[in-house]
Amino acid sequence: MKPFDILIVGAGIVGSAVARECALIGWRVGVIEGGTPAGGATAAGMGHVVVMDDSPAQLALTAFSRSLWQRESGKLPKSAEYENRGTIWVAADDEEMAEVHARQEVYEDAGVEARVLTAEELADKEPNLRRGLAGGLLVPGDSVVYPPAAAGFYLAEARRLGAEVFLARAMSASQGQVLLSDGVSLVAERIVLAVGTECDLLPSLPIQKRKGHLVVTDRYPGFLHHQLVELSYLKSAHKVTDDSVAFNIQPRQTGQLLLGSSRQYSNEGPEVEAEILRRMIDRASEYMPGLEKLSVLRVWTGFRAATADKLPLIGSAAGLSEDRSLWLAAGFEGLGITNAPGAARLLMDGMLGRESAIDAAPYLPARLMEPARLAHA
């Protein structure tokens, strides 16, 4: 068999975006998927395309990636349900309103449009929110998308450009060779691990599973107009030991509502947990009391692939492995949908040695080895 230029393990939204990026420059691309393409973390997540400012590096990557989504939104199929809904970060009190003003300045300095909403403006934009909230921050450029269909678009584009897809599990991936569960052996100069939480191909990969629950309701057109997130969402996301919930809701093109979010640690069971679900719905109902009267159609769980510093691993696996053929596009936690096109572009920049639109250094996997290296220097 003729060698591939690149083999990508994982056909979720990140792996599929990488495959298309590589196929666009004429590389011979092989994509390996042991399950259903886009059937893992991609299918389990909310379809946020958002700018997040947890850190300067997160802000840079999410803003860059969102710009790529916006640029190509016209190419997406109708099934991707891409809609520019905007996000409102909801402030419950005056203390959180102070944070709203501070975040608005951060966004403005980064060139991201964001507008402070008064309590009256918030109520006008989202009448089903409870009264008494202090206001919010509207980020009008944020969007929603249906992740499996968006991932399917990327993979279909890669295949149209000549990529081959192998529906078999990768049993090993090293030194430019991937052995599949059906006995086939593939070779390439580069291997990209875009594996979500499945880290067995590189045990040193510093990724932790974080379980989450999602709820989708029946169709209620007009009940919700924007993505809504409580301002203390990031505080919840920062907890690394305690289970937590936060108000996070998204309107779907179908009129359904997608409700999150929860985070659990040291829990790798896929079952829905009644207590976490109750806490999540109670928290959401504190912000939107009318949610208690809506019908739930489905509840499911999934796992986020998280790193210690909340940033993804994008680039050569150097520092985590001595295998020069290995590259990584993993560890996106809850931002894999948003960051898929940006991560694909940064990874390709690294492989080609070309300058990136943003500084790629904060996402290089080797950064996580720096403390250990300094300690032994």
Side-chain angles (χ1 to χ4, degrees), residues 307-340:
T307 63
D309 64 0
K310 316 290 184 185
L311 295 174
L313 307 171
I314 306 171
S316 167
L320 300 179
S321 171
E322 295 181 358
D323 186 343
R324 293 179 176 270
S325 69
L326 290 182
W327 294 72
L328 301 176
F332 292 87
E333 197 166 349
L335 289 170
I337 310 305
T338 291
N339 284 331

Side-chain angles (χ1 to χ4, degrees), residues 193-244:
L193 302 183
V195 292
T197 58
E198 302 302 316
C199 308
D200 52 330
L201 293 174
L202 184 59
S204 62
L205 205 56
I207 284 178
Q208 179 184 12
K209 286 186 178 182
R210 294 183 177 168
K211 183 177 178 178
H213 287 65
L214 286 176
V215 174
V216 68
T217 73
D218 204 344
R219 299 170 187 246
Y220 299 98
F223 185 91
L224 179 69
H225 306 287
H226 304 78
Q227 301 179 89
L228 301 181
V229 190
E230 66 171 282
L231 202 67
S232 56
Y233 172 84
L234 287 178
K235 295 177 184 177
S236 166
H238 282 167
K239 293 183 178 180
V240 295
T241 54
D242 298 335
D243 295 345
S244 62

